């Protein structure tokens, strides 16, 4: 497809379970970002990948959160032992990289609900 | 610590009038600013950007103004249309990896 895609679109899980969220960026975009948006709040940066550089993990809220990216394509965000406060919309974005952050193109998000 | 702030959670405007959405930031190192528009159940879409070397950028009905001394930017939409009803986020970056986003302003354009 032409845009950023994310799956699943919705995920309901029980507290304590692990979840995996997937992002397919736009082809050719070397930069990939994960954000989350909790209810009534803004977009919160989680992690950033750029090419083969070490990812910027400074936004990950705890060691239960991790993400991987295969080359310059698919990325997965994993949340272990989910908690109710993890409930949010998780957004992925990709962009070109011209030496600095450029306009990001967002996917539709995955709505995670932890019961 | 919220480095980018949108202090108005909502705004209502009559169709045809001007919509003004405001954004304040605290980090003087920010040098690139963007506005995104978000419809329900969709990801944010890029609307307009401005570099700190400018104080104004215009694209059709949308104009972004930057006041560096006040650390303030605003988005003007004129004339406003019902299809402009959405949540608008401002974002800022320095020469690093991250964009910092505000909490958003929900705009309703009343027909």
């Amino acid at each position: 497809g032409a845009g950023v895609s994310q799956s699943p679109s919705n995920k309901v899980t029980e507290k304590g379970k692990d979840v995996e969220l997937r992002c397919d960026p736009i082809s050719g975009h070397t930069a990939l970002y994960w954000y989350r948006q909790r209810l009534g709040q803004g977009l919160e940066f989680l992690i950033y990948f750029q090419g083969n550089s070490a990812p910027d993990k400074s936004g990950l809220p705890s060691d239960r959160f991790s993400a991987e990216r295969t080359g310059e394509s698919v990325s997965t965000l994993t949340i272990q032992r989910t908690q109710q406060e993890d409930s949010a919309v998780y957004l992925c974005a990709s962009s070109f990289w011209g030496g600095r952050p450029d306009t990001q193109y967002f996917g539709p998000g995955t709505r995670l609900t932890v019961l | 610590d919220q480095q980018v702030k949108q202090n108005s959670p909502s705004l209502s405007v009559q169709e045809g009038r001007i919509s003004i959405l405001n954004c304040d930031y605290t980090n003087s190192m920010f040098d690139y600013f963007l506005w995104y528009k978000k419809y329900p159940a969709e990801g944010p879409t890029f609307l307009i950007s401005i570099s700190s070397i400018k104080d104004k950028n215009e694209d059709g009905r949308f104009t972004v103004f930057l006041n560096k001394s006040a650390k303030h930017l605003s988005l003007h939409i004129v004339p406003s249309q019902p299809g402009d009803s959405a949540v608008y986020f401002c974002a800022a970056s320095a020469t690093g990896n991250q964009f910092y986003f505000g909490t958003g302003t929900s705009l309703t354009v009343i027909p």
Side-chain angles (χ1 to χ4, degrees), chain A residues 33 35 37 40-45 48 56 58-59 91 97 99-109 111, chain B residues 2 31-32 34 36 38 41-46 49 87 89 93-104:
Chain A
Y33 301 76
Y35 296 87
Q37 185 180 18
Q41 299 187 22
L43 275 68
E44 178 187 358
F45 168 79
Y48 159 79
D56 177 351
S58 60
L91 290 159
W97 175 257
R100 64 158 305 141
D102 203 336
T103 305
Q104 298 173 19
Y105 296 83
F106 283 83
R111 180 175 296 279
Chain B
Q2 194 77 20
D31 62 356
Y32 189 55
L34 304 95
Y36 283 85
K38 184 180 184 301
E42 295 182 12
T45 55
F46 170 74
S49 65
V87 176
F89 291 96
S93 78
T95 53
N97 299 335
Q98 289 191 36
F99 276 101
Y100 295 85
F101 283 80
T103 52

Side-chain angles (χ1 to χ4, degrees), chain A residues 47 49 60 62-68 76-80:
Chain A
I47 188 169
F49 296 90
L60 294 178
S62 78
D63 59 8
R64 297 187 295 105
F65 287 72
S66 62
E68 292 185 351
T76 55
L77 177 69
T78 301
I79 309 172
Q80 296 178 309

